Amino acid sequence: MPEPLIGLDVGTSGVKAVAISPDGDLLATAEESYPLSTPRPGWAEQEPEDWWRAAEICLARLPDGPIGLSGQMHGLVVLDDGGRVLRPAILWNDQRTQAECEEIERRVGLERLIELTGNRALTGFTAPKLLWLRRHEPETYARIRHVLLPKDYVRFRLTGERAIDAADASGTLLFDVSQRRWSDDVCAALELPLDWLPPAFESTEVAGAGDQAAAALGVGIAAPGPVSVVLGTSGVVFAVLPAYAPDAQARLHVFCHAVPGTWHAMGVMLSAAGSAAWLRRALGADHAALDGEAARWEPGTEGLLFAPYLAGERTPHPDPDARAAFTGLSLRHDRGALWRAMLEGVAYGLRDSLELLRSLGVQPEVGRVSGGGARSELWLRIVASVLGLPLERMESEEGSAFGAALLAGVRAGVFVNAEAAVERCVRARDRIEPDPAWAEAYARGYERYRLLYPTLEVLR
């Protein structure tokens, strides 16, 4: 019997792991959670030892086989000369580094930074976290000898190897994304030692990728064509580009893809299914009941709109201080209307990203949808109609861990390359078409939605 392929995803809430056959059939799964620490408002930290403990537990529940890794991007893990963790990791959703982001853009120059890294300085990225440590925790900073990202710390504990892939390194703001190597220019401008950074490889060489690149591979996004639409805690629209092409204003993230020699662009909204989780708790009802009540409302919910900026925003508004709002409320609106307006608001936010991708030449004919929100038939009909794209759900719902398992297979020689892994293992389960009548209503609604952010910004 062929050896199974193992995918391990080091997420924000826990480790998820899968074992698949070389034909993509799911053999086993494992999951182990861990806590998130918020020691101050806007801060988010975790203990790297918790990731390693959870990874060990998950691997013990699965058969042996080649291992691929994916994980939350941008998180900063700092080690001393003995490989010991110096402090809790600062995560992707930590917002403490606004001053350091401004410093980076001043030191490097915004235009040059975008040219090199494909991005502007955002609070979630890794480089601002290092500058924050230098300013606020100089004793810890002085002891740093190695810098790793979350999944790469798990690799280090698993194998003793310090390494990173180009896809995950792209999210550090220290990587020359067009040349697929660490940027001498950025590190010099920020006075950060290059020898702190691990050797960078292609994803297929080290069987690893950041969670979004791995998840895209897991739904078959290996080359220009379909887009990945993720309805997770955050919302993502992800496309492979024909060549490196950063957005001049850096409203999209442009990173190396997990397929060697390719790049991807993605728009990220911070509260997609996160908006649903918040509103479900506030309304005190389950998703099925709320979907049923929302389905009784017509598209557009009689003018009710939701701005989904519960935790700030990235695309198209890089604004950690943005906040959410309902507008257009009337006496007729009930909790079903609130729920539908929230579903529609998130869909409009995803369309913001899709429109920016189209400006870079992306012309998709279908979206491959994943994430917890993809379990809602109503939400998928809304998203398909707002985006004007059919949405396909895949047979595997294992996301980043599935993509990591495919990378394990490439590295182990089971597949000749990532494209072959996708062709053999990734299959569509069903397809949701846009509703023409809904699409017409949502075209009008989207134009109104685009006015919300400027209005809310003025009211701050």
Side-chain angles (χ1 to χ4, degrees):
M1 182 176 177
E3 195 172 30
L5 305 173
I6 310 301
L8 199 70
D9 177 48
V10 183
T12 310
S13 59
V15 166
K16 296 179 181 178
V18 300
I20 66 171
S21 76
D23 291 319
D25 299 317
L26 187 64
L27 303 176
T29 65
E31 188 170 347
E32 184 70 18
S33 63
Y34 35 68
L36 172 71
S37 172
T38 54
R40 296 189 186 179
W43 290 23
E45 299 182 348
Q46 278 177 333
E47 293 289 347
E49 187 64 27
D50 288 343
W51 305 331
W52 172 238
R53 174 191 56 80
E56 284 189 302
I57 291 171
C58 287
L59 290 173
R61 296 171 182 165
L62 299 180
D64 292 333
I67 298 171
L69 294 164
S70 72
Q72 51 173 299
M73 298 179 69
H74 316 312
L76 175 65
V77 184
V78 288
L79 310 178
D80 67 11
D81 55 4
R84 293 174 290 269
V85 174
L86 291 172
R87 72 174 319 282
I90 306 176
L91 302 190
W92 64 274
N93 51 347
D94 189 284
Q95 301 284 2
R96 76 183 74 177
T97 60
Q98 187 59 45
E100 287 72 27
C101 290
E102 294 169 3
E103 178 183 351
I104 289 170
E105 294 187 354
R106 184 174 63 253
R107 282 182 176 230
V108 181
L110 179 58
E111 186 176 345
R112 180 63 171 156
L113 185 68
I114 294 171
E115 177 189 350
L116 287 169
T117 71
N119 296 275
R120 69 178 303 159
L122 299 176
T123 53
F125 288 171
T126 316
K129 298 173 171 58
L130 278 167
L131 270 60
W132 186 92
L133 283 181
R134 184 161 65 195
R135 177 174 295 163
H136 295 279
E137 297 182 8
E139 292 183 1
T140 298
Y141 184 85
R143 296 173 60 199
I144 297 173
R145 295 297 178 269
H146 304 292
V147 170
L148 294 175
L149 297 193
K151 74 171 192 332
D152 302 313
Y153 177 74
V154 172
R155 175 191 285 112
F156 174 66
R157 293 294 299 272
L158 193 62
T159 68
E161 178 186 21
R162 289 192 310 110
I164 195 171
D165 54 277
D168 215 359
S170 297
T172 63
L173 213 65
L174 299 171
F175 203 66
D176 186 329
V177 176
S178 66
Q179 299 301 312
R180 307 175 83 87
R181 59 178 175 80
W182 294 114
S183 173
D184 295 333
D185 289 357
V186 174
C187 288
L190 302 183
E191 301 178 79
L192 294 173
L194 269 169
D195 60 7
W196 285 1
L197 305 173
F201 301 89
E202 293 293 343
S203 288
T204 50
E205 295 178 299
V206 291
D211 54 2
Q212 293 301 327
L217 199 65
V219 296
I221 312 296
V227 294
S228 168
V229 179
V230 181
L231 279 170
T233 300
S234 58
V236 177
V237 184
F238 176 117
V240 177
L241 299 173
Y244 177 66
D247 172 42
Q249 299 178 54
R251 294 164 297 180
L252 295 164
H253 303 318
V254 177
F255 296 150
C256 299
H257 191 24
V259 179
T262 65
W263 291 263
H264 70 80
M266 64 179 181
V268 180
M269 58 182 301
L270 296 181
S271 298
S275 294
W278 164 78
L279 188 56
R280 181 186 61 79
R281 290 194 302 269
L283 296 176
D286 62 35
H287 287 92
L290 291 167
D291 272 6
E293 293 174 28
R296 294 197 285 269
W297 285 87
E298 292 295 318
T301 328
E302 296 184 1
L304 182 59
L305 285 172
F306 175 68
Y309 310 134
L310 289 163
E313 193 52 294
R314 281 200 187 176
T315 306
H317 313 296
D319 183 355
D321 297 319
R323 290 296 177 262
F326 282 101
T327 66
L329 282 162
S330 77
L331 290 171
R332 282 175 47 80
H333 288 128
D334 56 15
R335 70 178 190 176
L338 293 172
W339 187 255
R340 181 162 192 135
M342 180 276 300
L343 300 179
E344 293 172 346
V346 170
Y348 292 142
L350 294 171
R351 180 165 170 180
D352 278 339
S353 294
L354 181 60
E355 294 301 326
L356 290 173
L357 288 170
R358 285 173 169 149
S359 75
L360 293 183
V362 174
Q363 295 296 330
E365 295 182 356
V366 67
R368 302 274 177 80
V369 66
S370 61
R375 299 187 184 99
S376 167
E377 299 287 339
L378 175 63
W379 208 354
L380 292 189
R381 285 185 64 199
I382 290 171
V383 172
S385 301
V386 168
L387 300 184
L389 281 179
L391 298 178
E392 293 179 341
R393 284 185 290 197
M394 315 314 289
E395 284 188 1
S396 171
E397 297 181 351
E398 303 307 321
S400 301
F402 191 87
L406 297 184
L407 290 170
V410 177
R411 187 186 191 193
V414 176
F415 314 114
V416 295
N417 54 33
E419 296 91 333
V422 163
E423 184 176 357
R424 185 166 164 186
C425 296
V426 180
R427 297 175 286 272
R429 171 164 60 91
D430 59 10
R431 183 178 174 110
I432 296 88
E433 297 286 345
D435 183 307
W438 288 18
E440 184 178 346
Y442 288 141
R444 297 190 299 271
Y446 179 61
E447 293 306 312
R448 295 177 59 241
Y449 169 85
R450 293 175 66 188
L451 302 174
L452 281 180
Y453 176 78
T455 303
L456 295 171
E457 191 176 25
V458 169
L459 293 174
R460 259 191 255 161

